[in-house]
Amino acid sequence: MNHANSKPLVTLNDLTVGYDEPLVSKINMEIRPGEIISIVGSSGIGKTTLLRTIAGLVKPLEGSINLNIQPRGGLGYIPQKLGLIRHASVAHNVGLGARAGTSFKEDPLTWWKRRNQRVNDAIELMGLSDKADEPTRRLSGGQQKRVATARTLAQQPQLLLADEFLSELDEDNIDVVVRAVINYLEESNAAMILIEHNIERAVEISHRTFSVREGKLTELSDFGSEQE
Amino acid sequence: MIRRKTTFSLIGIGTVIAALVVFDSLIGGDWSPLFGGKENFVEFWQEDLWPPDWSLLEARKYPACEASIGFFCSKAYIGMLETIKMAFVATVLGFIGAILLSPLAARNLVPKAISFPVRIFMAATRSLPSLIWAVIFIAIVGLGPLAGVLAMTFYTIGYLGKLQYEEMEGMRSDPLEASRAMGLSRSEITFLVVIPEASNGLLSQLLFMFEYNVRHGTVLGLVGAGGIGYYLNFYIGLFMYRQVMTFIIVIFVVVVLLDLLSMFIRSFVNEESDVKRPSWKTIFLPPEAAVKEHLEKTDE
């Protein structure tokens, strides 16, 4: 798919992120519908802060972010710790995504049906149908990651921000999760920014891969040259 | 690390010494009553308190008892039941008030401009003990259970509200961040994210508050706000301590039973219940016997 012709979903203009001190400076980037961007780099260098800043959870130190998405439900976020409600059921957690992603404008019954349909479809796709009523705290780490993915799939965001949600997953789980997310992104022409520890996987999944080094975000144009 | 531990130990020892010094100044340095009062208590116990007057557990002479078991017409049962009813209503009403206000007091959910005045309101309701609230409400609505219920409700809002907003502030931030990023509204985040995530703590606090209100409800009767305290006040006024002792035993038994009930209910929602389904036996049996019972069940 040619992403260059479409209007950017996210535009970062001279963006500097951090808390008291800048962690990553002067980021200029455009992310278009359908694009998958990976960010790699060692721990504690500002990757998560960048994602949280784009999500609107942290104020930028400098520069600006232009988001061309719906304010409600347009942005999906899977934090490193997944953001699940531990005492609530799988269906409740997935339902939150569906709630954010569906409009109240239609009549309540139609909305309710559409919301439930999304929840059921997402739970089924992630192979969690038999766990729908279980509190998420009772699930294994891999199953919890599938719940967080189902929540995002039920939401159907235009832009997905995912923070290392593939790490510590076994190969079977990674396969199920990655296939479902990439299918969704392709079908709905949505974009994703993924923070990933595994560089090989990042390059394999994404269209563009960036690395944070010495406070700068730089594109890895050639994975081989980075390895040297 | 070792230096930090030493500092904490010194602070701990210093606090205990400070407490003893303050205590000494409060009692004017005279510690003798603490050690010389045993004989007085033994005398009071033998002559005035024991044995309790168990006739209070029997049916009252007037009005005529229509129940088949006389205990259900006794002063102890009627008074205790009224106290439990007052505590139940006040806890439910207070919980509703507190759960509506506490999200507005939690600093991780609303700006300080909102949380500050709500906290002040809660502190105000909490600053007066329920006994003083009872005196105020007796002046407004007159003697009886209504004043008691209103007093306990007000105190519950302040006290339970504080416990609730602290529970909400202590919750993990990642569910909040995920739902904020999704674009959910503040009320959706409160009712669909914060309250479910904090539910175990909230339930535990609710049960604690009910037990607390039952205990305090017994005191409210002293100022005429109904319940078993009314009888307590009556017999204390007449120096009839054997009767008072009976009511104290009844209150003790009820509080212990409520505590066990609360432990039983909480055992269903804590994380231990994920691996071990609780039963009444695990609450009543001593720990070793409960473990044995559990192991036997697991073997089956």
Side-chain angles (χ1 to χ4, degrees), chain A residues 39 110-111:
Chain A
I39 302 173
T110 315
W111 172 77

Side-chain angles (χ1 to χ4, degrees), chain A residues 176-191:
Chain A
V176 171
V177 169
V178 169
R179 205 173 334 123
V181 170
I182 289 182
N183 279 348
Y184 163 69
L185 295 174
E186 282 176 358
E187 279 170 17
S188 33
N189 207 20

Side-chain angles (χ1 to χ4, degrees), chain B residues 10-117:
Chain B
L10 286 174
I11 291 172
I13 293 165
T15 310
V16 173
I17 292 170
L20 288 173
V21 170
V22 172
F23 188 32
D24 186 69
S25 73
L26 280 174
I27 60 175
D30 181 13
W31 293 76
S32 58
L34 203 59
F35 306 105
K38 193 184 155 198
E39 290 77 21
N40 292 341
F41 177 72
V42 171
E43 195 183 323
F44 180 53
W45 177 271
Q46 286 174 345
E47 290 185 11
D48 293 316
L49 286 176
W50 203 263
D53 179 4
W54 298 117
S55 69
L56 291 174
L57 302 182
E58 293 163 10
R60 289 186 299 186
K61 290 194 179 81
Y62 182 82
C65 180
E66 289 175 2
S68 53
I69 302 171
F71 172 71
F72 295 121
C73 299
S74 67
K75 285 178 182 172
Y77 176 79
I78 291 168
M80 198 66 234
L81 188 66
E82 188 171 71
T83 298
I84 292 173
K85 283 178 181 172
M86 282 163 58
F88 173 70
V89 175
T91 308
V92 171
L93 296 179
F95 178 81
I96 293 168
I99 201 75
L100 292 174
L101 284 176
S102 53
L104 299 172
R107 286 191 182 135
N108 56 343
L109 301 179
V110 292
K112 273 185 186 167
I114 298 174
S115 69
F116 185 70

